[in-house]
Amino acid sequence: MNRALSLRRLLALVLLMIWLAAALGPARADETRRRLRVPILMYHYISTPPDDADRYRRDLSVSPEQFEAQLRWLRDNGYTAISLEDVARALSAGTPLPERPVVLTFDDGYDDAYRNAFPLLQKHAMTGTFFVVTEWIDEGRAGYLTWDQAREMAAAGMSIQSHSRTHPDLSRGCDYDCLVYQMLGSVQTIEAEIGIRPRVFCYPAGRYNREVMTVLEHVGIIAAVTTQGGTLHVSERPLQLHRVRVRGTTDLGDFAWMVRDWRG
Ligand SMILES: [Zn+2]
């Protein structure tokens, strides 16, 4: 037998096997585990609660004066407001972030987001992420944003993202069709109204489970925020980002500690 020929055959066979292994093997994801410390602030109302407000409304309300003092503190301490897509990319691909990143999020799409939060963010050259409940806007509910307001905010660099269609507890009694309706439905509505497809989700009442996260992935969501407290995020769990709850009773000392010193 011709020795050179059989060696060539062997080499060809080895090359074929290497090619097959590369072609058929699992896609090699970037499996580097990353840890990031980014305070993701969670706000609800940016307004002074009415006199007859109950304790929940008071707890969820930060006055415009308090909010502006917090924005000043962030600016004076060198913080840069970034988006949650930035956080997702930093976790998945290691893209660099500013030295002191912070994310400002606003849940539920109250109209004081437009009246109070939006102008103050613009005044201090910061961006915010607003989680809207799309049917509440579609219905024209009093006290909530309109699509015109959301479009104006998006055009000025604010991020409009999904908080579901009707704000149900997604972890209980919401089957697959319901999950698709709540997630894909809200994503498509925002895309149609704003012209930008949402990539970030906020769990209504912070409730979620494994199936909820699976459907989110299918819908193309790359990051989701919870109501679990903390500032540390891990690349294995981009759909379980922690947040820093800012309350009506949060003074500037508490705020500084949570943003700068919270190690959880
Ligand atoms: Zn909510």
Side-chain angles (χ1 to χ4, degrees), residues 5-16:
L5 186 64
S6 72
L7 265 177
R8 258 206 302 277
R9 276 190 185 156
L10 184 65
L11 184 65
L13 189 66
V14 168
L15 286 173
L16 180 69

Side-chain angles (χ1 to χ4, degrees), residues 36 40 83-92 103 105 129 131 159 161-163 183 187 197-203 212-213 215-226 233-243:
L36 277 182
I40 301 173
S83 72
L84 286 163
E85 285 101 325
D86 293 334
V87 174
R89 276 188 287 269
L91 282 173
S92 67
V103 181
T105 69
T129 298
F131 291 110
S159 179
Q161 301 289 338
S162 171
H163 196 25
M183 295 170 195
V187 162
R197 189 175 177 92
R199 295 286 173 203
V200 186
F201 191 79
C202 174
Y203 301 109
V212 173
M213 291 192 283
V215 176
L216 276 187
E217 282 175 358
H218 293 168
V219 169
I221 294 294
I222 59 170
V225 293
T226 66
H233 314 290
V234 298
S235 56
E236 307 92 287
R237 293 193 287 278
L239 300 183
Q240 293 171 278
L241 301 179
H242 294 175
R243 288 195 289 176

Side-chain angles (χ1 to χ4, degrees), residues 107-108 163 167 205:
D107 288 15
D108 301 334
H163 196 25
H167 208 279

Side-chain angles (χ1 to χ4, degrees), residues 174-189:
C174 192
D175 62 12
Y176 182 82
D177 287 350
C178 163
L179 291 175
V180 170
Y181 174 80
Q182 290 289 341
M183 295 170 195
L184 188 59
S186 64
V187 162
Q188 288 179 332
T189 300

